[in-house]
Amino acid sequence: MSNASSTPLNVTPSSLLLAVVAAVGMATIGVISRITGLNAESITFYRLGLGAAFLLAYLVLTKRHTALNALPGRQVVISGVLLASFILFYVQAMNYTQMANAILMIYLAPIIAAVAAHSLYGERLTTEQIGLIGLALFGFAMMQEFRLNLDDHQDIIGMGYALAAMFAYSGFMLTNRRLPSHLDDRVCAFWQLLVGALVILPFALWQPEGLTAASWQWPWLLLAGFLPGFLALLCAVMAINRLPTALYGTLAYCEPVAVVIFGWSLFGEALSPLQLSGCALIVVCGIMQASTGGRQPTSLATTG
């Protein structure tokens, strides 16, 4: 892994593709959850636990498993806890308030992370990049049709959970930018998945139905472990390490765009012209951020 504070990052098409695949892959968990009808804690555990199993198989096949002999460092464990915390708080937010309210709060995280990386890691934010981040956020507000309804005490509790999820997501992105340079991306992703699964396990077992699942649900659970668990998280960890935080944060908005598209194409949830315009604005901002990131330096530090 490269050190975020001392090594300039080279934006390549493959790095951009990793970020987009990660965002779209993570968006599929909503589809799988709706089809299976299982509680969110169980879905989250299977996503992380089976994802760790798939990644372990990948490490064995690629002969990288010997790196697992050494226990992960503190930062890797923290990032795994942040991953599980983000998912758990996100789920709780959905239980208390409207999805639009929670998502709008949570997706302030890429902006918070980009600003923090500017201060902590010397990742310079140009005026153009700041403008594109703001436009992406505005596009997301368009997707939500500028509505934030706080009708009762339950909504306030839900927004509190959403705020906690936002900070956990920001922390996950920032922590991954500072993982030890000697660790392989894939090994780090395995430990994050494993730690996250262990953290979420008590919450899943606390549910009345526990971790039980019908035979027809298991193929979907395996898909949850492979796509949003294994593939999406692996791509996310690799992309975060290779891209400036501002650029990755903007491309992360592909996830809510994908959620909206999945809802429209799979479940017949209609999109208004305002929502379609918001999706288009986010995509354009991502493309422009990619272009900006590829031609401008992303670190204030000089190299020797």
Side-chain angles (χ1 to χ4, degrees), residues 3 9 55 68 88 106 115 117 139 146 176 205 218 226 239-240 281:
N3 190 308
L9 302 175
L55 190 46
L68 297 176
L88 178 62
I106 289 167
V115 173
F146 303 105
N176 272 276
L205 294 175
W218 273 104
F226 180 79
I240 289 171
L281 181 58

Side-chain angles (χ1 to χ4, degrees), residues 81 109 172 298:
V81 173
F172 176 74
T298 59

Side-chain angles (χ1 to χ4, degrees), residues 121-172:
Y121 304 155
E123 295 184 6
R124 182 170 55 198
L125 285 176
T126 66
T127 302
E128 182 180 358
Q129 288 175 319
I130 294 172
L132 290 172
I133 292 173
L135 280 175
L137 179 61
F138 184 76
F140 188 73
M142 291 171 65
M143 287 173 55
Q144 304 305 316
E145 298 184 315
F146 303 105
R147 289 184 295 187
L148 185 64
N149 301 316
L150 297 178
D151 298 326
D152 53 32
H153 185 63
Q154 294 287 95
D155 285 318
I156 296 175
I157 295 175
M159 292 304 288
Y161 279 119
L163 182 66
M166 183 267 286
F167 281 117
Y169 187 23
S170 301
F172 176 74

Side-chain angles (χ1 to χ4, degrees), residues 48-223:
L48 298 175
L50 292 175
F54 279 119
L55 190 46
L56 178 60
Y58 171 81
L59 292 174
V60 171
L61 289 174
T62 56
K63 303 186 185 306
R64 290 184 171 91
H65 61 285
T66 54
L68 297 176
N69 292 332
L71 293 176
R74 180 178 58 184
Q75 289 175 301
V76 178
V77 174
I78 291 173
S79 65
V81 173
L82 287 170
L83 174 64
S85 299
F86 160 60
I87 297 173
L88 178 62
F89 290 138
Y90 177 54
V91 168
Q92 290 297 334
M94 295 296 148
N95 290 334
Y96 282 93
T97 189
Q98 298 179 29
M99 182 177 292
N101 292 351
I103 290 178
L104 186 58
M105 174 66 74
I106 289 167
Y107 271 88
L108 289 172
I111 296 176
I112 299 297
V115 173
H118 175 81
S119 302
L120 297 175
Y121 304 155
E123 295 184 6
R124 182 170 55 198
L125 285 176
T126 66
T127 302
E128 182 180 358
Q129 288 175 319
I130 294 172
L132 290 172
I133 292 173
L135 280 175
L137 179 61
F138 184 76
F140 188 73
M142 291 171 65
M143 287 173 55
Q144 304 305 316
E145 298 184 315
F146 303 105
R147 289 184 295 187
L148 185 64
N149 301 316
L150 297 178
D151 298 326
D152 53 32
H153 185 63
Q154 294 287 95
D155 285 318
I156 296 175
I157 295 175
M159 292 304 288
Y161 279 119
L163 182 66
M166 183 267 286
F167 281 117
Y169 187 23
S170 301
F172 176 74
M173 287 190 286
L174 290 170
T175 304
N176 272 276
R177 296 289 289 115
R178 300 289 291 175
L179 293 178
S181 59
H182 66 279
L183 292 180
D184 184 86
D185 295 325
R186 300 157 185 83
V187 174
C188 285
F190 168 78
W191 286 119
Q192 288 169 345
L193 284 166
L194 182 61
V195 170
L198 293 175
V199 168
I200 208 73
L201 179 59
F203 297 95
L205 294 175
W206 185 263
Q207 301 304 308
E209 61 272 33
L211 293 172
T212 59
S215 57
W216 68 269
Q217 293 170 322
W218 273 104
W220 291 105
L221 293 176
L222 290 171
L223 182 62

Side-chain angles (χ1 to χ4, degrees), residues 228-241:
F230 160 62
L231 184 62
L233 182 67
L234 177 60
C235 289
V237 171
M238 295 174 69
I240 289 171
N241 188 53

